[in-house]
Amino acid sequence: MNQANEVRRWGRTLLLAAILPLAGCATGPNANPRDPFEPFNRGVSDFNENIDAVVLKPSATFYREKVPPLVRTGVSNFFSNLGDAWSAVNAALQLKLGHAAENWMRFSFNTVFGFAGVLDIASEMNIERHREDFGQTLGHWGVPAGPYVVLPLLGPSTLRDSIALPVDWQGDPLTHINPEVTRDGLYVLRVVDVRSNLLRASDVLEGAALDRYSFLRDSYLQRRRADIGPVRIGSDRESENDGREPELESEPNQAPAAPAGLAPAAPAPAPSR
């Protein structure tokens, strides 16, 4: 492993290690049980929004305005196809063998016949995509979500999903692409592609009269719970709560669930034509 990769790996490790002690200082007597680190999380969220306003959103807007829709669709298809390979692995780890087979078939067909995934041949063949990551795998086997956290640059997460991130990074096919300049260029393109697909949703959110932070937090937690679905605890398939993660406690004036695209996480949908 070259020096640049070693620096990147240590940087990611330090990023995750820094979250918990910092967040521990942000708790208070009136802390939300789902979000005990809310003051710290709000600060990180403000930082992320400033980065988005200065760098990400302008780049994504330029990309959407200058790049033809057909090309943008191909870019989104390419990155989604890479995600199908890791989704297949996680589906298998959860013993969802049907989902694992479909994800692997998608990856195989699109890679071979769809020019490395630029064309989504599998969808034309009605092979369904099932998005899975290692955080979902941990949740499926009963690992609790833990407190909600907002990660610098990466956005909404939970303690469980944050711990799963290094595994997801290693499972990301982009991590293993060489030379490094090509890999870094693809990372940047993926970030811009994901942000461009969220432009309309973010504009709607910005124009709404609500607490943006609370809305995104509640939407993310609800979506992750839906993504994980029934969990396995030991050999029992069902628990007292029908095998699912605990319901979010209702709060006064709680914001409704957001569309899945509003909360970062899974690969972005293909851009509208």
Side-chain angles (χ1 to χ4, degrees):
M1 179 178 295
N2 60 37
Q3 185 176 4
N5 286 337
E6 192 70 22
V7 170
R8 184 182 293 107
R9 185 173 66 175
W10 276 105
R12 290 168 173 173
T13 302
L14 291 173
L15 171 64
L16 295 178
I19 294 299
L20 297 182
L22 286 174
C25 299
T27 58
N30 299 320
N32 185 320
R34 292 173 293 148
D35 186 9
F37 310 138
E38 182 171 347
F40 170 76
N41 285 336
R42 283 185 179 272
V44 177
S45 181
D46 290 342
F47 168 79
N48 289 345
E49 288 181 12
N50 289 334
I51 295 295
D52 180 72
V54 173
V55 179
L56 297 182
K57 187 174 182 179
S59 300
T61 301
F62 179 84
Y63 174 79
R64 192 172 189 87
E65 291 176 350
K66 300 302 181 182
V67 178
L70 187 62
V71 175
R72 288 188 277 112
T73 298
V75 170
S76 291
N77 287 343
F78 171 78
F79 290 120
S80 294
N81 183 58
L82 294 181
D84 286 340
W86 185 233
S87 291
V89 173
N90 280 284
L93 291 174
Q94 298 172 41
L95 302 184
K96 299 177 180 177
L97 302 184
H99 290 183
E102 287 186 308
N103 282 333
W104 189 254
M105 289 172 62
R106 287 188 56 87
F107 176 72
S108 301
F109 282 125
N110 285 340
T111 300
V112 175
F113 302 110
F115 302 100
V118 173
L119 301 179
D120 189 358
I121 304 298
S123 290
E124 298 296 329
M125 300 171 64
N126 294 320
I127 303 176
E128 189 175 353
R129 169 179 285 131
H130 308 277
R131 301 186 190 280
E132 305 284 351
D133 56 53
F134 194 64
Q136 290 172 245
T137 298
L138 294 178
H140 177 80
W141 291 107
V143 177
Y148 175 75
V149 295
V150 181
L151 301 178
L153 302 179
L154 301 179
S157 186
T158 62
L159 178 58
R160 179 190 60 214
D161 292 344
S162 299
I163 293 173
L165 275 176
V167 179
D168 283 327
W169 285 329
Q170 287 303 309
D172 182 359
L174 283 190
T175 303
H176 308 285
I177 289 179
N178 287 305
E180 185 177 347
V181 63
T182 301
R183 179 172 63 250
D184 291 344
L186 288 173
Y187 277 134
V188 172
L189 178 59
R190 182 166 63 180
V191 170
V192 173
D193 173 66
V194 170
R195 186 61 181 91
S196 72
N197 289 322
L198 296 175
L199 283 173
R200 293 178 182 175
S202 64
D203 288 343
V204 171
L205 182 59
E206 288 172 1
L210 47 79
D211 181 353
R212 177 186 175 96
Y213 172 85
S214 296
F215 185 85
L216 289 176
R217 177 195 62 201
D218 296 343
S219 300
Y220 176 82
L221 293 175
Q222 290 179 21
R223 184 178 68 82
R224 288 300 283 174
R225 179 180 177 274
D227 287 343
I228 292 168
V231 302
R232 289 181 181 269
I233 304 176
S235 60
D236 297 327
R237 184 58 177 164
E238 304 295 335
S239 69
E240 295 179 358
N241 196 29
D242 193 29
R244 301 178 68 89
E245 291 196 311
E247 293 279 0
L248 298 178
E249 297 178 4
S250 58
E251 295 179 351
N253 302 321
Q254 181 177 353
L262 285 178
S272 57
R273 302 177 186 270

